[in-house]
Amino acid sequence: MASNFCSHHCFFIVAVLSIFAITPSTSQQQTSDSCNGIFLSYTYTGGKKLTPNLTDSGSQPSRFESTLTVLNNGLQELKSWKVFVGFQHGEWLVSASNVVLADGRTIPEAVGNGTVLAGSSVTDLKTAAETAGDLTQMQVKVDMVGTVVGVAPPGVPMPSTINLANDGFICGEPNFQGNNETHVCCTSDPNYKTKIITKENVLPRQKNGDLTIMYDVIKAYNSNYLAEVTISNHNPLGRLDNWKLSWNWTNDEFIHTMKGAYPSVIDSSKCVFGSQGEFYKELDFANVLSCEKRPTIIDLPPTRFNDTQLGKIPFCCRNGTLLPPNMDPSMSISRFQMQVYKMPPYLNRSNLTPPQNWGIKGSIINPDYKCGSPIRVSPSQFRDPTGLPSNISSIASWQVVCNITKSLKSDSPKCCVSFSAFYNDSVIPCNTCACGCHGNQERICSVSKPAMWLPSKALLVPFENRNEMAHDWASLKKLQVPNPIPCGDNCGVTINWHVNTDYKKGWTARITIFNWGETNFADWFAAVQMDKGAKGFEEMYSFNGGLLERLNTTIFMQGKKGLNFLVAEANGLNPRKDPRVPGKQQSVISFRKEKNDEINVVGGDGFPSKVFFNGEECSLPLVFPSNGLRNELSLYTIMILILSSIILIQQW
């Protein structure tokens, strides 16, 4: 009796459980079919607790596995798809198939604040209509493995949201099914209008990036192709010195030859002992330049420009210098060529895949850049090298857009500014640890107390020689002396902005740039942003300068021809007793005042709100010089002060 009951009822229970077990997949299929756009789903597929076993559950690491699905159910092909996944549990992404991080970072990477994933092996998703419903062309699945903190099984670390990051789409609110799956449907935005329309089946080129990289395939064969890479600087304040360009190969490609640039490390051993050596048995790998999955490319020196083997490429061989286009348009471009060998199964002249995870950086004092994923664009056009009045088209072209990023909190500026004025004897120096402080400095000085005010002559000597001057000045001016004394600014470049005069019809300032480092700066430039004062800019006496057209509150300045070289710090006349002497450049700047100008020079409008040197934003003091006993100056007095400043510049 009991056995009969079990045989009937147990079968029923198992059948019911089986129905519920398959419900999620059936439900997801029904949901995706009802989406007439781009269907996105994120499914947590499993995980386990990792060692060490911590008593604090909030710090316990665990493994997670998940799958992101992107399905094109719309009427238009989805080009260069990108999806934002709102990770929120301190996730560390260890691996992910078919994608790269859209901001150019390389997996494994921290993604705990959310990240944008971009297609790599499958970048475009076709429609059901053009493929007869072939899911292999309509859909991509991304299998992810990573580490999560604070959510251990049976807990499920789900993202806060998922949405399509491509322009021109609207996504609804994500719908959660159970505790391990969420999905959303994204449809075309009827109000979105692209500013550029192309006839080709490619995306329009972007023109709003600070820096762009073009990857043009100009010759293609079954086993290899010739690519031309062009780096263009578009930012009026952007600059790179000794640029280093890197990327990731995704299909075991390797670089055979190059012209106009070179790998920083020449090494073919990974090919010789790898699959490349097994496939290309007849190839002499002694001539192969790089087999690194992530090579780093550097520019050649000018002496190689006319080298028939390595040079002869327009815009090559500048030691990696990229200047702003407003400074020198011809120096805002770098270019090189390379022969790239492919591996099976991609041995077809039309099977072309660009590298991923692009990154570019400079050295010394340069801004930081983050690069997006390569986007297929219309073929580039080049002038015929033989001189014929015709253009030659590339076979395929991709564009990478890079933008200047603000430094992270852990990153310090590389230059700083001091303020001074004619109405106050004290100089407000650079902030304490403006460019960072070493860990062991806390034992000998304060990393948090504000810098001590100084006499103007102290700006001419290194920080380690200012101690006595600072104490004497504090005693003379009845200023407090901190104990311990504040640490220095630790900046290689410092800039002094001095308000020189202020009168009825105008005012003047003097800017002095000091180089305390060991590196000379050729073709240097600086810029100051002034919210109210810049529009009255009149003349710069010792530099070439003017207002930027795109940034009309910013004054751009550079050395005049023959004076555009900021030398490094050098020994004094008597190195045994004289302090080291910085390299320096200086100029007086005059400004006019209009009748309706509401500018308070002494109140702070005469000081910049931002200062840049070679593209790097500098640290500014937190206060302005105070106005003690200020008297209006006559025009005669003003002219005497200007002439005195010019004479002082010549003496410096």
Side-chain angles (χ1 to χ4, degrees):
M1 185 78 165
S3 61
N4 289 337
F5 177 84
C6 184
S7 62
H8 288 85
H9 289 78
C10 289
F11 174 79
F12 174 77
I13 293 171
V14 170
V16 171
L17 291 175
S18 300
I19 292 172
F20 280 102
I22 64 171
T23 298
S25 59
T26 304
S27 176
Q28 180 172 324
Q29 179 65 43
Q30 293 172 347
T31 304
S32 64
D33 288 345
S34 65
C35 174
N36 292 325
I38 309 301
F39 177 78
L40 309 176
S41 72
Y42 180 97
T43 305
Y44 173 81
T45 57
K48 65 179 182 179
K49 189 176 178 181
L50 300 175
T51 56
N53 297 306
L54 304 178
T55 55
D56 180 10
S57 60
S59 302
Q60 177 64 49
S62 299
R63 173 189 173 100
F64 75 89
E65 299 174 11
S66 59
T67 299
L68 172 71
T69 303
V70 186
L71 172 63
N72 185 1
N73 278 343
L75 294 174
Q76 301 293 330
E77 182 176 359
L78 178 61
K79 290 285 188 179
S80 300
W81 67 266
K82 295 182 292 185
V83 171
F84 174 78
V85 181
F87 293 113
Q88 58 178 336
H89 301 288
E91 289 89 346
W92 177 267
L93 190 59
V94 175
S95 67
S97 62
N98 301 319
V99 294
V100 294
L101 299 181
D103 60 9
R105 294 178 299 161
T106 303
I107 298 172
E109 185 58 76
V111 294
N113 292 323
T115 192
V116 176
L117 303 174
S120 57
S121 56
V122 180
T123 58
D124 306 330
L125 298 178
K126 297 183 180 297
T127 66
E130 61 183 332
T131 64
D134 184 359
L135 284 178
T136 61
Q137 301 182 66
M138 298 167 54
Q139 175 181 271
V140 63
K141 286 184 177 290
V142 180
D143 294 320
M144 291 177 277
V145 176
T147 303
V148 64
V149 177
V151 185
V156 178
M158 292 294 289
S160 60
T161 186
I162 55 171
N163 57 67
L164 193 64
N166 295 66
D167 293 334
F169 287 88
I170 300 175
C171 298
E173 289 293 325
N175 294 309
F176 285 85
Q177 286 197 337
N179 67 342
N180 72 325
E181 195 262 330
T182 181
H183 58 260
V184 68
C185 182
C186 303
T187 56
S188 298
D189 183 356
N191 298 320
Y192 177 79
K193 293 182 180 180
T194 180
K195 296 180 181 179
I196 307 172
I197 300 175
T198 61
K199 295 181 181 179
E200 299 89 351
N201 191 25
V202 293
L203 290 174
R205 299 188 181 210
Q206 296 186 46
K207 296 185 177 181
N208 56 353
D210 293 320
L211 182 145
T212 57
I213 303 168
M214 289 302 304
Y215 191 81
D216 297 304
V217 175
I218 56 179
K219 292 182 181 180
Y221 310 95
N222 284 339
S223 63
N224 65 88
Y225 63 85
L226 184 65
E228 184 166 271
V229 180
T230 304
I231 310 169
S232 301
N233 180 19
H234 306 291
N235 190 298
L237 298 179
R239 178 192 179 119
L240 283 171
D241 295 286
N242 304 114
W243 57 255
K244 294 181 180 179
L245 182 66
S246 56
W247 60 73
N248 281 4
W249 295 118
T250 58
N251 300 313
D252 295 328
E253 298 96 332
F254 60 93
I255 302 173
H256 186 262
T257 58
M258 295 188 73
K259 294 186 71 174
Y262 229 61
S264 61
V265 176
I266 301 172
D267 184 8
S268 61
S269 61
K270 291 186 178 179
C271 285
V272 172
F273 298 105
S275 58
Q276 297 92 337
E278 293 180 5
F279 182 76
Y280 291 102
K281 296 182 183 297
E282 304 301 321
L283 185 66
D284 184 2
F285 280 91
N287 297 322
V288 170
L289 293 180
S290 176
C291 294
E292 293 289 333
K293 181 177 181 179
R294 186 171 182 82
T296 297
I297 308 302
I298 57 176
D299 198 10
L300 294 175
T303 53
R304 292 290 190 173
F305 180 78
N306 290 317
D307 190 309
T308 54
Q309 290 186 331
L310 298 177
K312 296 291 186 179
I313 301 295
F315 307 111
C316 86
C317 315
R318 278 103 175 259
N319 273 334
T321 297
L322 276 173
L323 299 179
N326 48 292
M327 190 172 178
D328 186 344
S330 68
M331 289 290 290
S332 66
I333 301 173
S334 283
R335 182 175 292 162
F336 63 88
Q337 293 180 357
M338 60 182 178
Q339 185 184 24
V340 180
Y341 270 73
K342 303 185 291 183
M343 288 288 290
Y346 305 101
L347 300 180
N348 186 307
R349 69 180 61 198
S350 63
N351 197 330
L352 302 168
T353 304
Q356 299 288 338
N357 291 109
W358 290 74
I360 190 167
K361 61 182 180 180
S363 60
I364 315 170
I365 295 184
N366 286 147
D368 296 322
Y369 290 84
K370 275 194 175 180
C371 300
S373 300
I375 303 297
R376 183 77 179 264
V377 294
S378 58
S380 299
Q381 302 285 323
F382 304 96
R383 296 293 298 173
D384 191 308
T386 64
L388 292 175
S390 59
N391 291 333
I392 299 176
S393 175
S394 66
I395 296 171
S397 297
W398 288 265
Q399 183 190 45
V400 178
V401 177
C402 306
N403 288 303
I404 295 174
T405 62
K406 293 183 178 179
S407 297
L408 301 174
K409 290 182 179 179
S410 58
D411 295 334
S412 300
K414 304 178 186 75
C415 54
C416 66
V417 179
S418 61
F419 285 158
S420 57
F422 69 90
Y423 50 82
N424 194 313
D425 294 334
S426 296
V427 173
I428 299 178
C430 291
N431 295 326
T432 302
C433 299
C435 297
C437 273
H438 306 297
N440 58 359
Q441 284 189 271
E442 294 185 8
R443 295 180 297 177
I444 56 175
C445 59
S446 171
V447 298
S448 58
K449 292 181 179 178
M452 295 177 64
W453 292 9
L454 300 169
S456 58
K457 65 180 180 179
L459 296 179
L460 298 172
V461 298
F463 177 80
E464 54 268 22
N465 299 101
R466 296 178 184 175
N467 191 29
E468 186 177 346
M469 292 184 185
H471 279 79
D472 291 345
W473 191 252
S475 176
L476 179 65
K477 296 295 182 179
K478 304 293 190 271
L479 301 174
Q480 185 178 2
V481 178
N483 186 21
I485 62 170
C487 298
D489 53 68
N490 294 320
C491 294
V493 172
T494 62
I495 298 173
N496 174 247
W497 180 268
H498 178 80
V499 174
N500 215 27
T501 61
D502 182 23
Y503 52 99
K504 185 175 182 181
K505 293 187 177 182
W507 60 285
T508 63
R510 183 182 69 234
I511 184 170
T512 308
I513 305 172
F514 300 95
N515 181 7
W516 300 97
E518 299 178 352
T519 304
N520 300 320
F521 292 103
D523 297 314
W524 62 268
F525 73 84
V528 293
Q529 179 178 310
M530 307 182 71
D531 299 332
K532 291 185 178 181
K535 65 180 181 179
F537 171 78
E538 195 170 50
E539 188 174 357
M540 193 166 291
Y541 293 92
S542 301
F543 300 159
N544 288 326
L547 283 172
L548 290 176
E549 292 183 6
R550 288 171 50 188
L551 307 168
N552 58 10
T553 60
T554 301
I555 303 171
F556 184 91
M557 63 194 79
Q558 63 186 103
K560 290 185 176 181
K561 189 174 182 179
L563 299 173
N564 59 346
F565 198 80
L566 183 60
V567 299
E569 187 185 49
N571 288 327
L573 294 177
N574 187 344
R576 292 187 175 181
K577 66 175 183 178
D578 294 336
R580 289 175 63 80
V581 178
K584 52 187 176 292
Q585 296 269 5
Q586 187 182 65
S587 180
V588 172
I589 312 171
S590 62
F591 299 83
R592 65 181 178 275
K593 291 180 182 177
E594 304 295 343
K595 288 184 178 180
N596 297 326
D597 279 354
E598 296 181 358
I599 180 171
N600 184 352
V601 174
V602 177
D605 294 339
F607 294 92
S609 55
K610 288 184 179 181
V611 175
F612 300 85
F613 180 79
N614 278 3
E616 173 77 13
E617 185 174 348
C618 304
S619 168
L620 296 181
L622 302 178
V623 295
F624 302 123
S626 61
N627 178 19
L629 300 174
R630 173 178 176 262
N631 297 315
E632 290 291 335
L633 303 178
S634 66
L635 182 59
Y636 174 78
T637 305
I638 300 306
M639 295 306 298
I640 292 296
L641 286 171
I642 293 176
L643 290 174
S644 300
S645 297
I646 295 173
I647 292 172
L648 181 60
I649 291 172
Q650 294 174 347
Q651 291 177 344
W652 276 20

